[in-house]
Amino acid sequence: MKPDILIKIEQNPKYQQLVKSRTRFAMILSLIMIAVYFAFILLVAFAPGVLGTPIGDSVITVGIPVGIFIILFAFALTGVYVARANTEFDRLTRQIVEETK
Amino acid sequence: MGRGIQWGAAAAAGVLGLAVAGGALAAGADLGDAEQQATNWEAIIMFLVFVGATMGITYWAAKRTKSAADFYSAGGGITGFQNGVAIAGDYMSAASFLGISGLVFLYGYDGLIFSMGFLVGWPVILFLIAERLRNLGKYTFADVACYRLQQKPTRSLAATGGLATVIFYLIAQMVGSGKLIQLLFGLPYWIAVVIIGALMIMYVTFGGMLATTWVQIIKAVLLLSGATFMALAVLYLVGFSFESLFQTAVDVSEGVRATDIMAPGGLIQSPIDAISVGLALMFGTAGLPHILMRFFTVKDAAQARKSVFYATGFIGYFYILTFIIGFGAIVLLSPSGLENLGLNAANFLVNADENPTALIGGNNMAAIHLSNAVGGSLFLGFISAVAFATILAVVSGLTLAGASAISHDLYATVLRKGQATEAEEIRVSRIATISLGIIAIILGIAFENQNVAFMVMLAFTIAASCNFPVLLVSMYWSKMTTRGAVLGGYLGLAVAVVLMIFSGSIWTDVMGLENPPFPYASPALFSMIAAFGGIWLFSLMDGSEAARREHKLFEEQYVRSQTGIGAHQASVH
């Protein structure tokens, strides 16, 4: 990349907006995923009884829906990110590339 | 130190290691030697059909594999969906399928905890590295890690970390698969290892990434179909009632299993162990060279993101299936469970009176026996053939990643300083593939009677504490220098290997010594801190002229990683 093009991109407000919003979005989603998973792991380590509590009269315990939920949640989070990145962020990126030419 | 921690350590290593197949799953009941079974013709015929089909694909792919880009990245022409299935295939190894369903069979709920650890790394890969990787790299993750650093030292580090990961993973797969095939097909161990090695050499040498990807896709579809059928069959037998499935499982386990199958058992008791294993599972995935390489097979960042989305979906679905399969096995592989459901008695146990959870062939056979229980010998043959295909596809991907580290990173960049012609590089990559294949066969045979359960945990830990930190920091921190990356990376690698030797899975299980000095299953917590800390410290202390140049180059790298301007384009056929 030539230095003048580099400066042009960096000074483009759309580029600044892209970097800012995408970095923020990615960080928030990562932290949510890490927090959910490690909260679960620490619950397993410190209070396994909580996950072993039966739901009502059923033999099924709290841990089972929680485990299935975390798997589905991880999938849903990737969907949320891809939905925004492949539309909003990619649109911004295309505009930046166009304006740089 | 409680018993729980110890078996936590053993189970961690066991599931991760394709312990699976062999006598290695320390967590389980005594597997003994994998005794050779009668020749299973249904399985062999179905496997031959698979080999025939994949050889056809390899022939087709070979005609299209001409350039280096074709060999390493299938010319960038794989779609996001196809790549997602292939990534899921790389991840749904025989270890996941047989190991986790076996763990659920034995311990119930605890099996699910491992599945989750394997899955939650994926969103983080997507958010933090997937698109930057695609925008910056060409063929290997080292392309990205070394983007603005001095090629020779940084490439050597990345290739060392990458090769170490690949080789440990590969040995574990070879040994496990030899034992599994011995058990399933009634073939002698060494013949099984040679067949796998020879087929994988053919796929990779002739068909490169294109053939490897399609082999992986076909296998993933077969495995998902087989597992879906099995889970549905289990649910059908319990009248599609989860309540009834779990209730019967609990009744059957009464007085038979030591832990409560509906609650977390002794798997993880020490918080440090929990965090360390969690880190190894989560971030190890983000440092596996054969997985990272897949991001270069798609056209652009948008497709790279889509691949992770589909992969996460398929992998999550697969782990839910293995959970149902594991509980199905608890019910259907027990005489009282069969009686309870009004089904004909069948025996899958070594000795029902002595130990009602000791399966013939070991507890990793839970899914295999279950296939027989729900679908008869024809379905047993199908699942056995799929297990064989799974191993083959996974070792092919690993070998391709290892060969790329040798030809693209070590030969073309370090040794020839980028002066090698494309033809020379491709030739070296093929020689490297064949050599790695032969080494894998030799080591597979040499390690037949060794305990290799630690090797996959070691591979994940090295990936999390050498490959991943260097890659991540190179993308995010402008002040990382060559010296910081190299010293920090080697430090992480060294700490991972040394602590692993001091942990129970090598110290006790391999060397037979008492009281392992390092009490946790994975050193990841410590080795990752060493790597990140080392990179940070040595980068800041680096006041060289080169370091200043490298800081300046970050700007350009950052803009490219964000916008994809200048990214390596797909070569369309």
Side-chain angles (χ1 to χ4, degrees):
Chain A
M1 222 178 287
K2 289 193 190 98
D4 55 326
I5 295 183
L6 195 62
I7 292 166
K8 200 171 160 191
I9 296 174
E10 283 179 326
Q11 286 174 347
N12 187 335
K14 282 178 183 152
Y15 173 77
Q16 291 159 3
Q17 189 199 335
L18 172 74
V19 171
K20 202 176 141 199
S21 50
R22 181 161 59 194
T23 307
R24 209 176 115 87
F25 192 50
M27 286 300 162
I28 291 173
L29 292 184
S30 302
L31 288 178
I32 292 175
M33 190 70 247
I34 291 171
V36 167
Y37 176 60
F38 281 98
F40 173 81
I41 283 289
L42 291 176
L43 201 58
V44 169
F46 285 112
V50 174
L51 294 167
T53 316
I55 303 173
D57 297 333
S58 167
V59 64
I60 296 173
T61 52
V62 176
I64 289 177
V66 167
I68 304 291
F69 169 78
I70 293 180
I71 290 179
L72 297 178
F73 182 71
F75 177 50
L77 272 192
T78 60
V80 168
Y81 182 80
V82 172
R84 188 166 173 203
N86 281 14
T87 54
E88 185 189 330
F89 297 151
D90 274 358
R91 198 163 46 234
L92 270 175
T93 309
R94 268 194 305 276
Q95 287 168 1
I96 295 162
V97 173
E98 280 303 311
E99 287 167 20
T100 309
K101 275 179 184 165
Chain B
M1 190 175 70
R3 172 193 154 274
I5 298 173
Q6 277 182 344
W7 101 240
V15 176
L16 284 168
L18 194 159
V20 150
L25 184 63
D30 179 26
L31 304 193
D33 291 325
E35 67 271 43
Q36 202 169 315
Q37 303 283 302
T39 311
N40 180 344
W41 287 107
E42 279 116 345
I44 291 179
I45 289 168
M46 277 186 262
F47 179 69
L48 288 178
V49 172
F50 173 82
V51 170
T54 48
M55 279 298 155
I57 285 172
T58 306
Y59 177 74
W60 165 81
K63 286 195 295 187
R64 289 158 177 261
T65 301
K66 302 215 159 56
S67 67
D70 296 332
F71 184 82
Y72 295 123
S73 65
I78 306 287
T79 68
F81 181 77
Q82 291 163 351
N83 194 39
V85 179
I87 290 176
D90 267 326
Y91 221 55
M92 297 182 296
S93 61
S96 307
F97 180 50
L98 303 180
I100 292 187
S101 52
L103 202 64
V104 175
F105 168 75
L106 213 51
Y107 300 101
Y109 189 77
D110 283 347
L112 189 63
I113 300 175
F114 270 94
S115 308
M116 289 164 54
F118 282 118
L119 187 73
V120 294
W122 283 103
V124 177
I125 290 180
L126 170 65
F127 306 148
L128 298 183
I129 63 176
E131 55 198 88
R132 291 172 188 231
L133 198 66
R134 179 62 192 85
N135 282 343
L136 292 173
K138 201 172 171 192
Y139 304 141
T140 64
F141 84 94
D143 289 337
V144 182
C146 312
Y147 190 84
R148 68 193 157 87
L149 304 182
Q150 291 163 46
Q151 291 295 325
K152 206 171 167 178
T154 330
R155 285 263 172 190
S156 306
L157 165 78
T160 307
L163 273 175
T165 311
V166 164
I167 285 174
F168 286 122
Y169 212 123
L170 197 55
I171 297 175
Q173 295 280 337
M174 290 303 272
V175 173
S177 60
K179 299 215 166 141
L180 182 70
I181 289 159
Q182 183 178 12
L183 205 60
L184 295 182
F185 289 76
L187 290 172
Y189 177 87
W190 72 270
I191 292 184
V193 170
V194 170
I195 290 176
I196 292 182
L199 286 173
M200 121 194 146
I201 289 174
M202 301 247 262
Y203 293 145
V204 180
T205 315
F206 295 113
M209 184 52 115
L210 192 56
T212 308
T213 302
W214 279 101
V215 168
Q216 199 60 270
I217 291 174
I218 293 176
K219 162 246 146 157
V221 171
L222 290 174
L223 181 56
L224 282 170
S225 315
T228 303
F229 176 80
M230 232 195 285
L232 285 177
V234 166
L235 292 176
Y236 168 76
L237 291 172
V238 296
F240 288 95
S241 154
F242 282 99
E243 183 70 32
S244 154
L245 173 66
F246 290 123
Q247 185 65 57
T248 319
V250 169
D251 293 343
V252 165
S253 305
E254 190 76 47
V256 168
R257 286 176 174 79
T259 51
D260 180 357
I261 56 167
M262 299 302 289
L267 187 57
I268 290 169
Q269 281 181 346
S270 137
I272 296 205
D273 213 22
I275 293 170
S276 203
V277 170
L279 287 172
L281 296 182
M282 197 166 189
F283 296 111
T285 305
L288 295 177
H290 64 300
I291 300 267
L292 293 172
M293 218 179 152
R294 292 225 167 271
F295 290 103
F296 306 119
T297 66
V298 292
K299 180 163 93 350
D300 54 24
Q303 296 297 321
R305 291 183 210 115
K306 273 191 194 165
S307 355
V308 188
F309 171 69
Y310 291 119
T312 313
F314 284 120
I315 297 167
Y317 171 65
F318 176 73
Y319 285 140
I320 292 174
L321 293 179
T322 55
F323 190 62
I324 297 171
I325 289 169
F327 268 88
I330 294 178
V331 172
L332 294 167
L333 303 185
S334 123
S336 63
L338 289 169
E339 198 182 320
N340 198 320
L341 293 173
L343 297 170
N344 289 335
N347 185 40
F348 303 100
L349 304 171
V350 179
N351 184 339
D353 300 326
E354 223 168 67
N355 181 354
T357 59
L359 294 175
I360 295 170
N363 68 353
N364 292 309
M365 293 293 283
I368 304 281
H369 287 316
L370 185 69
S371 69
N372 194 0
V374 301
S377 68
L378 198 65
F379 190 57
L380 169 72
F382 175 76
I383 287 294
S384 305
V386 169
F388 200 157
T390 295
I391 291 162
L392 199 49
V394 171
V395 293
S396 300
L398 284 167
T399 304
L400 179 61
S404 312
I406 294 173
S407 59
H408 182 61
D409 298 330
L410 291 181
Y411 170 76
T413 313
V414 175
L415 200 69
R416 299 287 304 273
K417 301 184 177 61
Q419 301 302 309
T421 66
E422 187 156 313
E424 285 174 321
E425 189 174 330
I426 295 176
R427 205 168 65 89
V428 172
S429 66
R430 295 209 156 113
I431 296 171
T433 304
I434 296 169
S435 315
L436 271 177
I438 293 172
I439 292 171
I441 293 173
I442 294 171
L443 292 179
I445 293 172
F447 280 89
E448 178 183 353
N449 296 315
Q450 302 294 314
N451 186 340
V452 294
F454 70 91
M455 282 191 187
V456 175
M457 185 48 114
L458 182 57
F460 263 76
T461 306
I462 292 174
S465 19
C466 176
N467 313 353
F468 172 70
V470 173
L471 184 64
L472 187 78
V473 179
S474 78
M475 290 172 172
Y476 282 86
W477 194 42
S478 63
K479 295 200 167 59
M480 177 162 102
T481 70
T482 300
R483 199 182 294 167
V486 169
L487 291 176
Y490 281 120
L491 187 66
L493 179 69
V495 172
V497 172
V498 170
L499 288 184
M500 200 74 200
I501 292 173
F502 287 144
S503 80
S505 57
I506 296 184
W507 188 264
T508 310
D509 298 346
V510 177
M511 302 197 290
L513 300 170
E514 302 267 320
N515 299 325
F518 181 74
Y520 308 113
S522 169
L525 176 61
F526 306 93
S527 50
M528 282 179 78
I529 290 174
F532 281 110
I535 293 172
W536 174 76
L537 186 70
F538 295 118
S539 292
L540 287 188
M541 281 166 53
D542 187 353
S544 64
E545 185 54 40
R548 268 191 292 282
R549 267 200 312 275
E550 287 158 7
H551 294 167
K552 284 209 188 84
L553 287 170
F554 183 77
E555 224 178 306
E556 190 264 328
Q557 178 195 328
Y558 192 73
V559 170
R560 172 166 162 178
S561 77
Q562 291 285 352
T563 60
I565 293 173
H568 194 65
Q569 300 292 318
S571 62
V572 182
H573 290 279

